[in-house]
Amino acid sequence: MTSPHRYRISAYDPAAHLFEVQLRVASPDPEGQVFEMPAWIPGSYMIRDYARNVVSIRAESDGLDVPLTKLDKSRWLAAPVRKSLTLIAEIFAYDLSVRGAHLDNTHAYFNGPCVFFAVRGQEDLGCELEIVPPDHADAADWRLATSMRRMEGPQYGFGAFEADDYAELIDHPVEAGNLSIGEFEVQGIPHAIAIRGKTHVDMGRLCHDLETLCERHMSLLGVPRGFDRYVFLVYAAGNGYGGLEHRWSSSLVCTRDNLPTRGDDTVGDAYRTFLGLASHEYFHSWNVKRMKPAVFTPYDLSVEIHTGLLWVFEGITSYYDDLALVRSGLITEKSYLELLGRTISRVLRGSGRLKQSVEASSFDAWTKFYKQDANAPNAIVSYYAKGALIALALDLKLRHETLGRVSLDDVMKACWQRWGETGVGMPEDGFEAVAAEVSGLDLDDFFQASVRGTGELPLDALLQTHGIQYHVRASSGSSDKGGQKLDNAKQRGVWLGATLTESNGKSTFTSVVNGGPAELAGIAPGDEAVALDGLLLTSANADKRLKAYRVGDELDLVVFRGDELVSTRIRLTSAPLDTCYLELVEDVELAVESRRMAWLHG
Ligand SMILES: [Zn+2]
């Protein structure tokens, strides 16, 4: 029995970065068959128009060419045929991101939306996929990792795979190359991690830690129906960071330093970052891949789909990603509070939080969050970072006001039962209604202010109820991410109110804070720094240079705007208290202590 849709992808010209994709449709539409490439990939809310990478395309039936008509940027119409119809296309693949496809002599990686055409009107039918290796000698040792169900071929080899429908076909990224593979089990379910890139990873430790982490997530919401395997696909690069979630896998990009090496058993900043990323994508297996906004059921991949709920699906996931690290014992309470302090600092540093709500940020993700320009810090708020802080505030509020009876965990469990286990999409007001229902509290004012409003969150008071002291201070400079206590002497006294970034040996003002000294001095994004007070100004020396000045000092500032020299005067003001750190209060009452334990250790 063969599937109605048989796809075949071959890495046929790695040097030219070309995949060849064939698609055989057993029973094409008798009126003429429409084929379509997605404009976007679920989880990454930007129009990418994957059809732009189609280099050539043709169709045939019964050995004869079939006329193809291009209907619009993403769709083709094949003339009516009486037998099966085969589409054959060359697709350019040279995007190393977790949203792309990439083929060269060292590996092949693809996401389904980049390479597979949908058969319009038949999206619900079963699909088969044959993956063919390149025929150059280096590829003989390649292994292949994917969460797609295997029909033929050895484990981690090339072969044939199957998916229930088109949506599933494009939800299994595939990586083939020289892979380091580790395996572990979580509640009897096989999990694997496949890493591409030269590393000296301590695979035993990595698998052990991931198992602990995944176990923790699994214990919160339970094993989803049909969740019978999971694969982390990791690209360990010289540079880069990011991830994309899928139902049975995730794609991660990190730096080599993010992975644990043999002989090192600490969890430093870099490894903690990797664990946080893996934790984030794994939690998405529940939150957004199975439980999702109603407007995503099903996904329409041809146009932007707007929802005000991304703060629930990305923000709450960002809250649980780090929380799971401390709850599973992989990091200490102190280390977790440092991460929280960093998230709070990220939000405090953008005045856009006072202009855009997280609901609006979610809705406009397509054109604002995903298309950030130099004005973004002044104009928008991240539904990830502020969404995580709303989740924190809600969790602490629920725990405090119900005397520990209800927490965000209970709200998530109720949401999961209603929308995750059923596959029914969450309505736009669903999360808030369930939070109120489960807790018995009137949360209208809280959600109005935090989700639709732009005021500051009451984190100081809420953390206090859990024995955590909230502090703000000035930043120590461009490398200060926050989260740590610092002597006054190390903090900035004055600031420029602009970000300087180095690229190609030039230091450029990349963003300018509304109302800050640089803006008042007429500095604009894109201006190249030349001199401050008669001396060279660069992104590398700016923090040190500013140490010499006091609040109110007026200095000459010279920049290039384009190729024209511009001289101005800048009046330095005191650096804002935009950097947060949190401290565990010792000697708290027993009730506070047990509330804090329940929060941080589940
Ligand atoms: Zn995410």
Side-chain angles (χ1 to χ4, degrees):
M1 167 91 187
T2 57
S3 295
H5 300 158
R6 299 180 69 186
Y7 292 82
R8 180 182 190 273
I9 183 165
S10 98
Y12 92 111
D13 194 347
H17 319 294
L18 290 172
F19 283 111
E20 186 198 72
V21 177
Q22 294 190 13
L23 162 56
R24 183 176 177 278
V25 182
S27 306
D29 186 335
E31 310 278 301
Q33 180 62 54
V34 175
F35 295 97
E36 180 164 6
M37 287 291 277
W40 59 282
I41 182 170
S44 186
Y45 307 105
M46 192 166 108
I47 295 296
R48 298 182 192 277
D49 290 329
Y50 290 113
R52 76 189 197 282
N53 291 317
V54 174
V55 174
S56 72
I57 185 167
R58 64 188 175 85
E60 59 181 46
S61 178
D62 208 16
L64 298 172
D65 285 345
V66 175
L68 267 183
T69 308
K70 187 106 191 249
L71 299 177
D72 56 34
K73 65 177 181 177
S74 300
R75 296 186 304 152
W76 289 260
L77 170 67
V81 293
R82 284 194 301 202
K83 294 188 173 169
S84 70
L85 174 68
T86 301
L87 192 69
I88 300 151
E90 284 178 307
I91 296 178
F92 180 66
Y94 203 55
D95 172 4
L96 265 176
S97 81
V98 294
R99 310 164 296 260
H102 191 268
L103 173 65
D104 67 12
N105 286 317
T106 66
H107 85 128
Y109 170 79
F110 60 84
N111 279 290
C114 305
V115 291
F116 298 135
F117 297 83
V119 182
R120 290 316 308 255
Q122 301 190 14
E123 289 90 340
D124 292 340
L125 302 185
C127 304
E128 265 178 44
L129 171 64
E130 184 192 358
I131 308 177
V132 183
D135 61 8
H136 62 81
D138 295 347
D141 300 329
W142 285 13
R143 292 198 286 174
L144 180 149
T146 180
S147 55
M148 208 179 307
R149 284 196 311 276
R150 183 178 286 278
M151 296 166 65
E152 279 170 24
Q155 196 186 18
Y156 304 119
F158 286 80
F161 302 81
E162 63 181 342
D164 285 345
D165 51 30
Y166 180 74
E168 194 202 320
L169 174 76
I170 61 170
D171 197 27
H172 297 284
V174 174
E175 175 76 88
N178 295 311
L179 308 179
S180 309
I181 295 174
E183 295 176 327
F184 56 98
E185 280 191 4
V186 181
Q187 296 195 12
I189 299 162
H191 284 53
I193 176 166
I195 305 173
R196 181 175 78 83
K198 291 191 174 68
T199 70
H200 299 281
V201 63
D202 181 344
M203 190 60 93
R205 180 182 180 205
L206 184 57
C207 286
H208 174 267
D209 290 350
L210 286 175
E211 182 183 330
T212 306
L213 179 61
C214 296
E215 188 73 50
R216 180 77 226 185
H217 283 305
M218 203 79 100
S219 68
L220 181 66
L221 297 176
V223 184
R225 195 158 4 100
F227 190 82
D228 54 0
R229 63 214 188 268
Y230 193 85
V231 184
F232 291 99
L233 298 178
V234 180
Y235 171 36
N239 230 316
Y241 173 81
L244 190 63
E245 65 276 7
H246 302 280
R247 272 178 287 177
W248 292 272
S249 63
S250 50
S251 277
L252 316 178
V253 175
C254 64
T255 66
R256 256 166 233 119
D257 311 335
N258 283 129
L259 298 171
T261 47
R262 283 182 284 271
D264 179 9
D265 60 0
T266 61
V267 178
D269 195 5
Y271 184 38
R272 184 178 61 178
T273 300
F274 176 79
L275 288 172
L277 177 63
S279 182
H280 181 96
E281 304 310 340
Y282 195 72
F283 191 71
H284 272 317
S285 304
W286 291 267
N287 200 33
V288 97
K289 288 313 300 186
R290 289 178 173 82
M291 177 166 78
K292 58 181 79 163
V295 291
F296 287 172
T297 53
Y299 292 109
D300 179 345
L301 297 179
S302 65
V303 292
E304 295 92 337
I305 304 298
H306 297 95
T307 170
L309 286 175
L310 291 184
W311 76 269
V312 168
F313 293 95
E314 288 301 346
I316 294 179
T317 300
S318 297
Y319 174 57
Y320 275 101
D321 61 20
D322 288 341
L323 188 60
L325 299 185
V326 65
R327 284 184 170 180
S328 59
L330 289 167
I331 65 171
T332 62
E333 291 176 344
K334 189 164 178 256
S335 177
Y336 175 63
L337 292 182
E338 180 183 34
L339 292 172
L340 269 188
R342 285 186 180 185
T343 306
I344 295 169
S345 303
R346 272 210 303 283
V347 174
L348 287 179
R349 287 174 181 183
S351 67
R353 77 185 188 284
L354 305 173
K355 298 177 192 127
Q356 188 191 43
S357 69
V358 288
E359 188 176 77
S361 178
S362 300
F363 194 88
D364 282 331
W366 303 85
T367 46
K368 294 195 172 186
F369 188 78
Y370 269 88
K371 293 189 175 174
Q372 294 186 32
D373 57 20
N375 197 45
N378 294 317
I380 70 168
V381 69
S382 162
Y383 50 80
Y384 285 83
K386 189 178 170 190
L389 298 187
I390 295 172
L392 167 68
L394 179 61
D395 198 6
L396 299 181
K397 182 179 169 71
L398 294 176
R399 289 169 186 275
H400 181 58
E401 293 183 13
T402 65
L403 303 174
R405 187 178 53 84
V406 174
S407 71
L408 185 60
D409 294 350
D410 301 301
V411 175
M412 293 306 287
K413 283 176 197 167
C415 288
W416 173 251
Q417 277 169 11
R418 192 163 307 181
W419 298 297
E421 286 177 357
T422 61
V424 175
M426 180 191 281
E428 292 289 301
D429 60 356
F431 178 81
E432 293 177 29
V434 165
E437 203 177 297
V438 170
S439 65
L441 300 175
D442 180 352
L443 298 169
D444 285 355
D445 290 348
F446 173 82
F447 285 123
Q448 190 60 33
S450 59
V451 175
R452 279 169 288 286
T454 54
E456 305 288 8
L457 298 170
L459 288 175
D460 188 346
L462 286 167
L463 285 161
Q464 195 73 51
T465 63
H466 284 69
I468 309 288
Q469 189 69 46
Y470 176 102
H471 305 272
V472 284
R473 59 171 174 80
S475 162
S476 68
S478 51
S479 61
D480 183 2
K481 295 178 184 164
Q484 286 181 340
K485 190 175 180 175
L486 274 190
D487 293 345
N488 279 346
K490 290 191 176 152
Q491 297 172 31
R492 276 175 175 161
V494 295
W495 77 324
L496 294 173
T499 307
L500 268 173
T501 308
E502 204 206 301
S503 150
N504 297 327
K506 292 180 178 178
S507 290
T508 305
F509 288 99
T510 42
S511 66
V512 177
V513 176
N514 279 165
E519 190 185 80
L520 295 175
I523 297 300
D527 286 351
E528 182 191 341
V530 178
L532 180 71
D533 198 17
L535 292 173
L536 178 74
L537 177 67
T538 67
S539 66
N541 75 8
D543 291 331
K544 215 160 107 189
R545 294 281 326 276
L546 287 171
K547 291 271 182 203
Y549 304 105
R550 299 286 166 268
V551 174
D553 285 353
E554 267 197 48
L555 312 170
D556 288 325
L557 175 61
V558 181
V559 300
F560 268 119
R561 180 165 301 165
D563 63 353
E564 292 181 22
L565 205 61
V566 176
S567 297
T568 181
R569 296 278 287 172
I570 186 166
R571 187 167 183 278
L572 302 178
T573 60
S574 62
L577 304 179
D578 62 1
T579 303
C580 173
Y581 67 95
L582 305 174
E583 286 182 313
L584 219 59
V585 182
E586 310 287 341
D587 302 324
V588 287
E589 288 171 44
L590 203 62
V592 174
E593 166 83 46
S594 61
R595 205 181 292 147
R596 190 166 68 193
M597 282 294 288
W599 166 44
L600 292 177
H601 300 286

